[in-house]
Every structure is written in structure tokens, then in C-alpha cells.
Amino acid sequence: MFSKHFRFLVMAVLFSAITIASPFARAQAALGSYNITPSSVTVAGISSGGYMATQLQVAYSKAIYGTAVMAGGTYYCAQDNDALWGEACATGVSVPVSSLVSYTNKEASAGAIDPVSNIVGKPIYMFSGTLDTVDYQATMNDLYQYYQSFTSGSEITYNNHTAAEHSWVSPDALTACLYLALPYINNCGIDPEQTFLTMFYGTLQARNSGALGGSFIQFNQNPFCANGNCAAISMDSTGWVFVPKNCAAGQACRLVVALHGCSQNQETVGTTFVHDSGINEWADTNNIIVLYPQTIDAYAPYNPYGCWDWWGYTNNHYALKSAPQMTAIMAEVNKLAGGSLQL
């Protein structure tokens, strides 16, 4: 869950350029297609996954409806120079928000990302614990300022008052709210998943607190990565998707892309984030498919903690529509939607 990635550059000389394969990286089923309402695609993420959720929303704002960001930060915060900006993005000190807004507008005008007008009026949920020692609350405040350059503050729900450490927050978690510990899923006595899913989709049916009726499907991610090689961009050969019974039977469904943080991938914590995010219980009773893309720890490119690329370890287009990881994720989304999205 580390955000101070500039340290990684110093550590790089200590490791040889090899790629570590995930013990879960066994190619399973091909990803299926379902009756997904195109306007229902949303994203949610924690830490590096929070940064990636913001990148997906901004770059693919035509296709992404709502976004939930826990302990992330501003779009293009690292500016492809983590050595210079990594500390600022972790602490929120001296982040040039106005410059990041200008960059966003410039890339939108150039067609490298979707028009920023697509962000207007879409629901945004933000969470930043007051005890966060990895991505300080100030960096989420920067994100709040950034978002208000593109949409009304009335569209943003920002929980910045809960005494939480750096974590994904779920009412089913075992770790107490104030601790920083694997698997970085904490119980703070609240249910953010209910909050942001309600923002996305309106009134929900009661969550399933018993055995889930839907299925967890491990699928082959390689077909969605360039040259069929996800390891080359620090993505695992397999990902996961949770499919409720109604969705498998062809009913109209919605889709949430759930993005783990650093050291929260299946290589490190197994399927803990996939099974314990707190989203599936709501998804099971509300016709919501949940996609869980996966990274791997890698040394070529240099990403030893399995973070999503928010600082440029894949290439300098990491925050644009052409970014290799975002292209792969959106290809998975489009496959689930039966090719119905306009990307």
C-alpha cells in the first residue's frame, strides 16, 4: 500500500530484472459477456487502485459513470516523475493542482482522454482516514479540489472524519480501524460500499449477509494485454469476476471495477480483497457484476509491491487512454459488456 514510490527507484539497483509470477496465475476460464447496461459502469479503488480509479474515470469519462476513491490522490499527480513528485503525492504538500487541471484540459483537447464535460454530474465518493500515514489526508484534499474543477461539489461525498489508517474500509473486515496491517482491509463500523453503491445506483436491496448465490470466476487476463503478455505490464495472467445468479441468467446488470492497492493483489494476500471487499454482498442482491483485475509484483517494469501504475513505470502515457494497464482493464470491461461500450 506504499505511496512513496520514489524509494523504489533507489532500491532498484538491489534487484535483478526478473518478473515474479503469481502463485494464482493459472489461466482459467475465458471472460464471459453479460447483459450490462452501458451507463452503469463504475470504478472503485484503494491507494494505487484509488489513483487508477481516478485515472480511469478521467481518461474514459464517456464510459465510466461513477467513482469511489479510498486513500488515493489527484490525477497525474506524479507527472511521470516519481523521484520528484512521489513525496508530494504521498503527503499532499505542494501538489500543483492547478497545473494538473491544466494538463487534464490539454490532453482532453488533444483527444488523448475523453472530454472533461463527461465528468459533470457523475457521482464521486471519497474516503480519507484521519490516521492515514501512507497517503496523508492532504493529498485526498487535493483530489477534492481537483474534482471541483470539473464538477459540482454537490456531486461529491467526502468522508474525511473517520479515524482510519490507510486501508479499504469494510464492515466485514477483521482489522481494527486504526491499524496499518495486511491485508489492508479495516473495520471502522461503517459501510462505505453501501454508500457509494447507493450513490451509483440508487436505493439498494438488502445485502446478502449469508452464503452468496453468485459465482467467483477466475479468468485469463492475457488476451486483454498487449501481445497477450500481462506480465510485461505488471499485470497477473488471471483476474477475478463475481457474477450474481441473475446476471448469469441474462438479466440486465450493472458493473463495478474494484481495484486493489499495493501489496493487496492475489500474489500477496490471495483472494482476500476479492472475497472480503464488502462489495459482493451488495452486488449479489442488486444485479451488480464486480470485476477484480490483478497486478503482480515485478522488477521489469520495476513494481515490487504490485501497485497499479499511477507514476509511469509502464510508460509516460500511463494516465491517458492509451495507457497499457487502463487499455487492458477497459478491454475486460468491454468484454463483460458484450462489446457494447463506446471507448
Side-chain angles (χ1 to χ4, degrees):
M1 304 293 285
F2 306 92
S3 288
K4 300 177 182 179
H5 297 290
F6 68 97
R7 295 177 180 174
F8 295 175
L9 302 177
V10 178
M11 294 166 60
V13 297
L14 302 177
F15 298 96
S16 59
I18 60 174
T19 298
I20 305 298
S22 165
F24 288 86
R26 299 181 298 274
Q28 301 291 318
L31 190 61
S33 296
Y34 302 90
N35 182 16
I36 292 175
T37 304
S39 60
S40 73
V41 179
T42 59
V43 291
I46 164 68
S47 193
S48 70
Y51 276 97
M52 179 58 78
T54 298
Q55 287 174 192
L56 284 166
Q57 180 201 28
V58 173
Y60 287 91
S61 58
K62 184 188 298 183
I64 302 298
Y65 175 66
T67 307
V69 181
M70 294 192 189
T74 305
Y75 179 81
Y76 199 60
C77 184
Q79 302 170 73
D80 195 34
N81 191 338
D82 185 66
L84 181 62
W85 292 106
E87 184 74 14
C89 294
T91 63
V93 177
S94 300
V95 173
V97 176
S98 60
S99 295
L100 302 180
V101 170
S102 296
Y103 173 83
T104 305
N105 286 321
K106 176 176 70 71
E107 295 300 334
S109 296
I113 62 176
D114 286 345
V116 296
S117 58
N118 292 315
I119 301 173
V120 176
K122 292 181 176 178
I124 298 168
Y125 175 81
M126 296 174 51
F127 180 93
S128 178
T130 61
L131 302 179
D132 196 320
T133 59
V134 178
D135 278 337
Y136 295 5
Q137 193 166 90
T139 199
M140 284 291 281
N141 294 342
D142 290 333
L143 177 61
Y144 185 64
Q145 179 185 343
Y146 171 88
Y147 272 141
Q148 289 184 94
S149 298
F150 301 107
T151 191
S152 167
S154 63
E155 304 297 337
I156 307 170
T157 295
Y158 183 16
N159 181 337
N160 60 355
H161 56 265
T162 299
E165 245 290 6
H166 190 72
S167 61
W168 177 271
V169 176
S170 166
D172 299 322
L174 299 178
T175 304
C177 195
L178 53 77
Y179 289 106
L180 179 67
L182 283 172
Y184 307 113
I185 304 176
N186 288 9
N187 190 330
C188 299
I190 58 175
D191 191 341
E193 293 73 40
Q194 179 183 18
T195 301
F196 68 69
L197 290 173
T198 300
M199 291 176 63
F200 296 166
Y201 304 127
T203 302
L204 302 173
Q205 299 294 321
R207 77 197 298 267
N208 185 349
S209 297
L212 298 179
S215 300
F216 290 94
I217 301 168
Q218 188 178 22
F219 68 93
N220 185 0
Q221 287 197 133
N222 279 322
F224 305 100
C225 296
N227 302 314
N229 183 8
C230 283
I233 57 171
S234 195
M235 285 181 66
D236 208 324
S237 64
T238 65
W240 291 87
V241 61
F242 175 73
V243 182
K245 281 185 176 180
N246 288 343
C247 301
Q251 290 190 22
C253 287
R254 290 78 71 93
L255 173 63
V256 176
V257 181
L259 298 160
H260 63 72
C262 307
S263 297
Q264 225 179 17
N265 52 7
Q266 63 180 341
E267 182 176 359
T268 304
V269 299
T271 57
T272 301
F273 183 75
V274 173
H275 285 96
D276 298 340
S277 67
I279 302 175
N280 308 316
E281 288 72 17
W282 291 104
D284 201 40
T285 54
N286 287 279
N287 289 8
I288 302 170
I289 293 173
V290 190
L291 173 65
Y292 293 95
Q294 294 291 310
T295 65
I296 55 171
D297 303 350
Y299 298 96
Y302 191 67
N303 180 36
Y305 297 104
C307 305
W308 291 104
D309 187 7
W310 64 271
W311 70 93
Y313 68 76
T314 53
N315 64 33
N316 61 4
H317 292 165
Y318 70 93
L320 306 179
K321 291 184 73 171
S322 58
Q325 288 185 350
M326 293 206 293
T327 299
I329 292 170
M330 293 307 293
E332 293 174 1
V333 168
N334 204 28
K335 173 62 176 179
L336 284 168
S340 63
L341 300 182
Q342 295 183 358
L343 301 180

